[in-house]
Amino acid sequence: MNLEKNQEYIVDIIDTGYQGEGIAKIEGITVFIPNAIKGEKVKIIIVKVLSSHAFGKITEIIKMSSKRKESDCITYKRCGGCNLRHIEYDETLKMKQNTVQSLVNKTLKNKIKVQEIIGMENPYHYRNKAQYPLGKDKSGKKVMGVFANRTHDIIPINKCMIQDKNTEEMAEFVFNFIVENNISIYDEHTRKGLVRHIVTKIGKKTNEMMCIIVINGNEIPKEKELVSSVVNRFPNVKSIVKNINNKNTNVIFGTENFNLYGNGYITDILGDFTFKISPLSFYQINPVQAQKLYELGVTGANIRNTDVVFDLYCGIGTISLFMSKFAKKVYGIEIVEEAIAMAKENAEINNVYNTEFIAGDVEVVLTDLIDNKKIIPDIVLVDPPRKGLDDISINNIMRLRPKKVIYISCNPATLVRDLAKLEEEYCINSLKCVDMFPFTSHVECVTVLNLRKDI
């Protein structure tokens, strides 16, 4: 049977995909259907056909799942930021755990049971960072919001169920100043205009706020007046930064930052530690769940005071400091130099003296530590980007054979791919999920691997 675009079918949703979409079969062909829930019967229209599968769109729900709920956001279907907002929260947790379990079953020799996912007590307004693009709508009116799913059309948003309310209000205030003072907006087609993005950050424990204004130029008209207005309206603002990005790119930030107010950073508290957060440095978006994630990793590592630990992709040193309480020495490696500078400052302000932070490519620095400096870790913790570990780093870990590897992952697909390479020499002791991004399809995992004794 040949599926064709714009054909209609009535289908049963028999499974859930990795992005939270429903899956149906039409005469053996897999069809992915966003916003459909396992167990539902729906009428769909085929919107795209590929050689191995197809995509459909719901036109009518014939049999509705008891797990379906009314969305509390009017733009979620267009935004794509919360693609599970139509499902009861507890059910989304089960879906994520089942997704990881399915990947484990398909990929690993060691068919370990994924432990129960750690959900969030209050899964709303959890984000400490927001990035708002600016542009114009079809009528030429200036708008600020988020990009519509898979497009660069901006959806105006002034109420989001996952963003922090205070930073949302601050971004809107800055945008209104831009509109009222007729400050130009960047046009990505003509590459003309000034303001590209408004980015906000907040310390969830300290309530300190940062505003970053990304511009295609050097100066903001009425710059001093803007700063004064923001500071007077929001007393918790500790930093206002101008970021220069003159390039024709989808990357939000340029490399130059100028402090318009404050010292260029804010602080937050995670566990027993205080952390400095700069404009370009990475800090976990959901610190409430991040603390649970890190504590899970540290507990799994079972670090002793004689242990040397490598923390690969260490960011601003958050989990390095968590581990420093128990270890003899922790080495943190991260490619972003500004993050390493922050990590060193974070160690200093927390009076931690058994850490060393190194800027550079993980595979290069790791090789140098092993071969030239002859430093052999007892424990290696990795928290790589979505693409996972490169083969050089995996080979170095296998060559080092530390007694434990703790793998923190934001992408279950690359996690199990890498675990399959490691399990020849390592036994997977545990794998547990943490819901870092409620109502999205993303899930974070912590895996504890022990060196096999029989090798």
Side-chain angles (χ1 to χ4, degrees), residues 11-15 22-26 29-33 44:
V11 296
D12 293 313
I13 306 302
I14 58 173
D15 207 349
I23 294 177
K25 292 276 190 180
I26 300 177
I29 298 174
T30 300
V31 184
F32 296 96
I33 305 155
I44 65 168

Side-chain angles (χ1 to χ4, degrees), residues 101-112:
Q101 186 68 65
S102 176
L103 285 167
V104 166
N105 295 345
K106 290 176 181 177
T107 310
L108 300 182
K109 293 178 182 177
N110 180 8
K111 307 301 183 187
I112 186 169

Side-chain angles (χ1 to χ4, degrees), residues 162-403:
I162 64 174
Q163 296 292 3
D164 182 271
K165 293 179 180 179
N166 294 312
T167 58
E168 193 174 54
E169 188 178 341
M170 179 171 63
E172 187 177 3
F173 182 88
V174 173
F175 174 67
N176 287 338
F177 182 95
I178 290 167
V179 173
E180 290 166 6
N181 289 277
N182 201 29
I183 298 171
S184 66
I185 300 295
Y186 180 72
D187 185 320
E188 61 182 16
H189 300 293
T190 64
R191 297 180 58 187
K192 294 180 180 179
L194 185 66
V195 184
R196 302 175 71 135
H197 280 81
I198 297 171
V199 180
T200 60
K201 296 188 177 188
I202 187 169
K204 284 291 191 177
K205 288 286 181 67
T206 63
N207 284 320
E208 295 181 3
M209 296 199 296
M210 173 187 289
C211 181
I212 309 157
I213 303 167
V214 184
I215 63 171
N216 174 46
N218 296 306
E219 297 294 331
I220 303 171
K222 299 188 177 180
E223 199 167 83
K224 291 182 180 179
E225 185 180 337
L226 169 60
V227 170
S228 177
S229 298
V230 173
V231 172
N232 288 336
R233 176 64 181 81
F234 301 94
N236 288 343
V237 170
K238 301 298 179 185
S239 177
I240 300 175
V241 177
K242 176 174 63 178
N243 176 270
I244 310 300
N245 184 356
N246 296 320
K247 294 183 178 180
N248 180 22
T249 175
N250 287 331
V251 176
I252 292 175
F253 290 121
T255 56
E256 290 185 283
N257 288 317
F258 296 92
N259 296 335
L260 303 180
Y261 176 80
N263 294 321
Y265 66 85
I266 56 174
T267 63
D268 198 16
I269 297 169
L270 203 61
D272 298 328
F273 301 100
T274 298
F275 292 96
K276 281 187 175 181
I277 304 161
S278 64
L280 303 186
S281 62
F282 174 77
Y283 182 69
Q284 286 285 4
I285 294 296
N286 184 342
V288 172
Q289 294 297 87
Q291 182 168 336
K292 298 174 186 177
L293 183 82
Y294 291 160
E295 289 173 347
L296 194 62
V298 172
T299 301
N302 191 25
I303 304 168
R304 300 174 184 174
N305 59 11
T306 57
D307 287 335
V308 173
V309 182
F310 283 2
D311 178 12
L312 312 185
Y313 310 94
C314 68
I316 61 172
T318 44
I319 198 166
S320 294
L321 297 194
F322 271 64
M323 294 188 293
S324 70
K325 292 194 295 184
F326 309 99
K328 177 182 178 181
K329 184 72 177 278
V330 179
Y331 292 86
I333 306 170
E334 169 63 54
I335 194 170
V336 181
E337 291 187 6
E338 183 179 311
I340 287 295
M342 282 282 112
K344 291 176 180 178
E345 285 193 47
N346 287 329
E348 186 176 342
I349 64 177
N350 287 286
N351 298 312
V352 173
Y353 304 106
N354 62 336
T355 57
E356 182 175 334
F357 294 102
I358 307 166
D361 285 327
V362 165
E363 59 269 27
V364 176
V365 176
L366 188 57
T367 301
D368 179 59
L369 287 173
I370 299 165
D371 293 338
N372 298 327
K373 297 182 179 176
K374 308 300 181 185
I375 300 170
I376 307 300
D378 301 285
I379 298 167
V380 172
L381 182 140
V382 298
D383 187 1
R386 291 190 62 78
K387 65 181 181 180
L389 293 174
D390 59 273
D391 286 338
I392 294 174
S393 295
I394 289 177
N395 290 337
N396 275 328
I397 291 170
M398 300 280 268
R399 183 158 61 102
L400 283 169
R401 300 180 70 236
K403 63 183 179 182

